[in-house]
Amino acid sequence: AQSVTQPDARVTVSEGASLQLRCKYSYSGTPYLFWYVQYPRQGLQLLLKYYSGDPVVQGVNGFEAEFSKSNSSFHLRKASVHWSDSAVYFCVLSAKGTNKVVFGTGTRLQVLP
Amino acid sequence: DPKIIQKPKYLVAVTGSEKILICEQYLGHNAMYWYRQSAKKPLEFMFSYSYQKLMDNQTASSRFQPQSSKKNHLDLQITALKPDDSATYFCASSQDAGWEQYFGPGTRLTVL
């Protein structure tokens, strides 16, 4: 069975600080992994995606994520956050040819000015 | 230009009535999805379609019926509406099953 765990429901950081949002997945096959962001009263926007290859993937707005097969993780990072990064972040798992998409429960990020 | 259109943006309905939520995508994608998000539950997967065929249904109630009249359309019919159906309903699409999804702006449904 596939599953995604985002262990931190809420994260608060100060503007300019570095950020890591954690994501652990469970899947026996080859995963496709994504991070999405949802700003207040908006739909979800794709931040970055991982299918294969270089385990560090770059996304929009300075975000990056690192895939670790050994740790079954896909943590999201940003070197210096801005107040506008305040949003809910979802880690998502799928696989090639499957309609099964599993969303994590989301991490609400608050950036203090 | 918006690539995924959801209509209407806001919808108010009375208990027991029926409504149809519209979703059209202009990305040339082959797979489409419906999700629901409410204050009580995080993002909840409802249906997935691939090439206009139902692939996965995670909605327990038959009151929710997706309808695909065209490859780029996936509407959601909800019958016998209940206040608990109040939520924002998101449509999404992907090139094919498993690939990254793109989301519409959502339809916010309120059932009185």
Side-chain angles (χ1 to χ4, degrees):
Chain A
Q2 297 168 252
S3 68
V4 174
T5 302
Q6 293 181 248
D8 305 308
R10 291 179 179 270
V11 170
T12 301
V13 296
S14 297
E15 193 168 29
S18 63
L19 172 71
Q20 176 172 278
L21 300 183
R22 296 182 291 164
C23 172
K24 298 274 286 185
Y25 71 91
S26 175
Y27 181 56
S28 57
T30 302
Y32 290 170
L33 292 157
F34 314 93
W35 276 98
Y36 287 82
V37 60
Q38 186 177 29
Y39 297 102
R41 294 174 295 282
Q42 295 187 27
L44 279 75
Q45 300 172 31
L46 180 68
L47 263 184
L48 45 78
K49 57 192 177 186
Y50 174 79
Y51 292 114
S52 65
D54 189 338
V56 179
V57 290
Q58 304 296 322
V60 297
N61 297 334
F63 285 95
E64 69 174 27
E66 183 167 4
F67 169 69
S68 172
K69 187 175 181 178
S70 60
N71 293 325
S72 298
S73 67
F74 190 58
H75 301 329
L76 181 70
R77 302 189 298 238
K78 187 171 184 179
S80 176
V81 296
H82 187 264
W83 64 267
S84 60
D85 292 325
S86 296
V88 180
Y89 293 78
F90 293 94
C91 182
V92 180
L93 167 69
S94 75
K96 182 179 181 180
T98 177
N99 283 275
K100 182 71 173 176
V101 178
V102 181
F103 276 71
T105 50
T107 297
R108 184 175 297 275
L109 172 66
Q110 183 179 16
V111 180
L112 303 176
Chain B
D1 290 337
K3 303 296 186 185
I4 301 182
I5 296 171
Q6 288 190 246
K7 295 184 286 191
K9 187 171 183 177
Y10 300 100
L11 187 56
V12 179
V14 296
T15 297
S17 66
E18 172 183 314
K19 292 295 180 186
I20 296 180
L21 281 56
I22 305 295
C23 177
E24 305 169 6
Q25 56 94 359
Y26 295 93
L27 295 165
H29 288 169
N30 299 312
M32 296 186 71
Y33 313 81
W34 276 104
Y35 294 85
R36 176 171 54 191
Q37 187 176 46
S38 67
K40 295 178 183 178
K41 289 186 178 180
L43 198 65
E44 181 184 5
F45 169 81
M46 300 179 73
F47 301 98
S48 66
Y49 267 64
S50 183
Y51 293 91
Q52 290 189 266
K53 292 187 178 179
L54 179 66
M55 302 303 291
D56 195 4
N57 177 359
Q58 295 293 323
T59 303
S61 173
S62 60
R63 296 186 299 107
F64 295 83
Q65 290 293 326
Q67 300 171 343
S68 181
S69 59
K70 299 179 188 179
K71 180 183 171 184
N72 68 327
H73 282 231
L74 185 64
D75 300 335
L76 181 64
Q77 179 185 39
I78 314 174
T79 58
L81 279 160
K82 303 177 180 181
D84 267 357
D85 297 330
S86 297
T88 299
Y89 291 80
F90 291 103
C91 174
S93 70
S94 63
Q95 181 61 51
D96 280 299
W99 299 101
E100 72 266 24
Q101 295 182 22
Y102 294 88
F103 284 76
T107 291
R108 188 168 181 174
L109 172 65
T110 301
V111 183
L112 304 175

